[in-house]
Amino acid sequence: MNHRFAKAFHLITVLAFIVVFMYIYSGLPGMVGFELNEEGFAHGVMDKNMFFYIVIGIFLVLNILLVTPAKLIENGASPNIKRLFAKGDPFRDQMLTWIYSFVGIINVSIIVVVMYIFQLNGIMEETGRPSGFGLYILPVLFVIWTVILFILLTRKMKSVQSIK
């Protein structure tokens, strides 16, 4: 049941990415800076269209690659997957919840990075000095989700060993 909330979270982050990215893309200059120099000005530039295709490509590839295991689990793609992730097993629901929420966190991370790049390229009076606060939270979220994954896998291994 919880995996449905995680699935909804994933869908909300996909929609949020589309809305935020389209807004940010429309406000970017022709040449997008993605790096700051010593004076605090953006340098290391690329074409706006190239930036668009790179970000969309990263977003699509990560979402497709990371959601595929969840779809395989939900559909029971092979007998081994059906046996390991049996319907009604709490581990199945926990893994699906973890996968969809992790992909949602990845999407939030992409949104934060794109917003930071927008701040780098914005007029200083409009956007203010770029704040990297969101960039510091992202590694913490990844560590938390990785620890949760190892806890889930450890529990499953212990339950499998206790059956034998």
Side-chain angles (χ1 to χ4, degrees):
M1 182 64 177
N2 286 335
H3 79 275
R4 292 183 185 181
F5 292 116
K7 219 175 193 180
F9 173 64
H10 171 249
L11 179 65
I12 289 168
T13 60
V14 167
L15 295 175
F17 169 78
I18 292 169
V19 169
V20 168
F21 187 63
M22 289 297 113
Y23 171 75
I24 287 173
Y25 177 74
S26 68
L28 287 173
M31 294 303 285
V32 177
F34 54 89
E35 190 176 357
L36 286 178
N37 61 13
E38 294 82 29
E39 291 86 37
F41 296 107
H43 74 98
V45 295
M46 72 171 63
D47 183 54
K48 181 179 179 178
N49 293 329
M50 181 65 75
F51 174 74
F52 175 82
Y53 291 119
I54 288 173
V55 172
I56 292 294
I58 290 171
F59 178 79
L60 287 174
V61 166
L62 286 175
N63 273 271
I64 290 169
L65 284 177
L66 295 173
V67 169
T68 300
K71 292 299 180 185
L72 292 174
I73 291 170
E74 286 179 333
N75 296 332
S78 73
N80 288 336
I81 291 177
K82 282 182 184 176
R83 188 172 56 245
L84 186 60
F85 300 102
K87 288 193 180 208
D89 184 14
F91 178 68
R92 178 182 189 267
D93 187 49
Q94 292 168 350
M95 279 306 295
L96 289 172
T97 301
W98 185 87
I99 292 170
Y100 282 117
S101 63
F102 183 70
V103 178
I105 293 298
I106 296 285
N107 292 343
V108 169
S109 301
I110 294 171
I111 291 169
V112 168
V113 170
V114 168
M115 288 174 67
Y116 181 75
I117 290 174
F118 178 66
Q119 284 183 334
L120 285 178
N121 290 280
I123 299 170
M124 212 50 96
E125 293 81 33
E126 288 181 22
T127 62
R129 181 121 175 102
S131 170
F133 179 71
L135 299 175
Y136 295 114
I137 293 175
L138 299 179
V140 173
L141 289 174
F142 287 124
V143 168
I144 290 170
W145 255 255
T146 304
V147 168
I148 291 171
L149 175 63
F150 283 116
I151 291 170
L152 290 174
L153 293 176
T154 303
R155 283 186 196 162
K156 181 61 174 181
M157 285 192 279
K158 285 182 182 177
S159 70
V160 168
Q161 286 175 351
S162 66
I163 294 174
K164 289 182 178 182

